């Protein structure tokens, strides 16, 4: 289906243009122009929906389908819970969670934290872990800090943020501390982390499990 047809609304043209993923848009993690959907005619929205449903999913497609919110669009989002791409699964899980379908999000975040490589997938999983810091998700962060030296800085910072120990968006002191920890052997690192948490008065029953 061609998206550059003449005599379309400005909303159609803006949205179609935003679907062309330039290097800059990909690098900056830009969404499609979702506000343009509100400026389309009903017939145009239906055509866009059909196009998004028919194509292999990018997380941007999932995001747009959630905005469209029709039964057919949401059915496609539910299919995307099992997509090959982890970022698509995470966007689908959060979008459905916000619509009251709460049975998928926590496990999707946990799977991402445990298995995603450094890059977009792990970034999305950590972003969602910060928004939804359930005890199960915090437990996975603690386990990751213990077992994976390459994730100490990110997971440790998320934990400190959840405990109210991060000052501002970037806390250089906390970052420096976790960089120092990441250079230690696993067992020594984790013991030092637990001792430091006790010293600064962190009160989280999860720590008593380790």
């Amino acid at each position: 289906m061609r998206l550059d047809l003449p005599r379309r609304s400005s909303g159609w043209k803006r949205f179609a243009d935003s679907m062309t993923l330039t290097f800059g848009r990909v690098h900056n993690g830009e969404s499609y122009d979702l506000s343009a959907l509100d400026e389309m005619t009903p017939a145009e929205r239906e055509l866009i929906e059909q196009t998004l449903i028919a194509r292999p999913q990018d997380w941007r497609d999932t995001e747009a389908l959630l905005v469209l919110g029709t039964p057919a669009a949401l059915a496609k989002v539910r299919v995307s819970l099992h997509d090959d791409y982890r970022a698509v699964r995470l966007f689908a899980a959060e979008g459905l969670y916000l619509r009251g379908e709460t049975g998928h999000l926590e496990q999707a975040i946990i799977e991402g934290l445990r298995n995603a490589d450094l890059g977009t997938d792990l970034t999305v999983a950590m972003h969602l872990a910060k928004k939804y810091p359930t005890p199960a998700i915090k437990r996975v962060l603690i386990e990751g800090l213990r077992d994976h030296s390459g994730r100490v800085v990110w997971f440790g910072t998320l934990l400190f943020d959840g405990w109210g120990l991060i000052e501002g968006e970037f806390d250089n002191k906390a970052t420096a501390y976790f960089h120092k920890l990441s250079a230690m052997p696993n067992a020594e690192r984790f013991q030092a982390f637990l001792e430091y948490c006790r010293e600064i008065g962190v009160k989280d029953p999860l720590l008593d499990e380790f």
Side-chain angles (χ1 to χ4, degrees):
M1 181 180 298
R2 292 180 61 197
L3 298 180
D4 58 348
L5 298 175
R7 295 183 297 279
R8 294 294 185 189
S9 68
S10 61
W12 172 284
K13 293 174 181 176
R14 282 172 43 212
F15 189 85
D17 174 72
S18 73
M19 291 177 72
T20 300
L21 295 180
T22 63
F23 173 81
R25 287 171 175 169
V26 172
H27 182 266
N28 295 327
E30 294 181 19
S31 303
Y32 297 150
D33 189 342
L34 300 177
S35 65
L37 293 169
D38 292 331
E39 301 174 22
M40 294 183 191
T41 67
E44 289 173 338
R45 285 168 64 92
E46 183 176 355
L47 285 171
I48 287 291
E49 178 184 295
Q50 292 172 0
T51 300
L52 294 172
I53 288 173
R55 54 196 254 146
Q57 292 294 284
D58 178 273
W59 62 264
R60 298 168 182 83
D61 299 312
T62 303
E63 192 177 44
L65 288 168
L66 286 161
V67 171
L68 288 166
T70 67
L74 294 179
K76 178 64 175 181
V77 172
R78 294 185 188 100
V79 171
S80 295
L81 290 169
H82 310 286
D83 196 88
D84 290 340
Y85 291 98
R86 186 174 284 109
V88 171
R89 300 197 298 267
L90 288 163
F91 269 84
E94 186 191 24
L96 293 171
Y97 176 90
L98 294 173
R99 288 177 169 272
E101 299 183 30
T102 59
H104 311 287
L105 180 59
E106 184 179 70
Q107 280 306 119
I109 296 171
I110 287 172
E111 191 280 331
L113 293 173
R114 283 179 170 161
N115 301 316
D117 295 328
L118 297 179
T120 299
D121 287 354
L122 186 58
T123 298
V124 175
M126 290 192 299
H127 172 73
L128 293 177
K130 182 175 181 178
K131 290 175 68 176
Y132 306 100
T134 67
I137 287 170
K138 288 196 292 183
R139 185 178 295 108
V140 171
L141 291 172
I142 294 170
E143 292 171 353
L145 187 148
R146 178 190 65 193
D147 300 332
H148 302 286
S149 62
R151 304 191 179 197
V152 168
V153 176
W154 292 276
F155 285 13
T157 302
L158 279 174
L159 286 166
F160 269 29
D161 183 72
W163 291 329
L165 300 173
I166 295 295
E167 299 180 2
E169 186 175 358
F170 300 102
D171 188 322
N172 292 329
K173 182 179 179 181
T175 299
Y177 170 71
F178 286 114
H179 273 296
K180 179 181 178 181
L181 278 188
S182 67
M184 296 180 180
N186 284 4
E188 182 181 340
R189 172 178 67 247
F190 195 60
Q191 188 60 37
F193 170 73
L194 293 177
E195 290 175 1
Y196 184 67
C197 287
R198 295 187 191 101
E199 288 175 11
I200 62 178
V202 173
K203 304 293 184 182
D204 190 327
L206 281 173
L207 292 176
D208 296 333
E209 298 179 14
F210 296 89

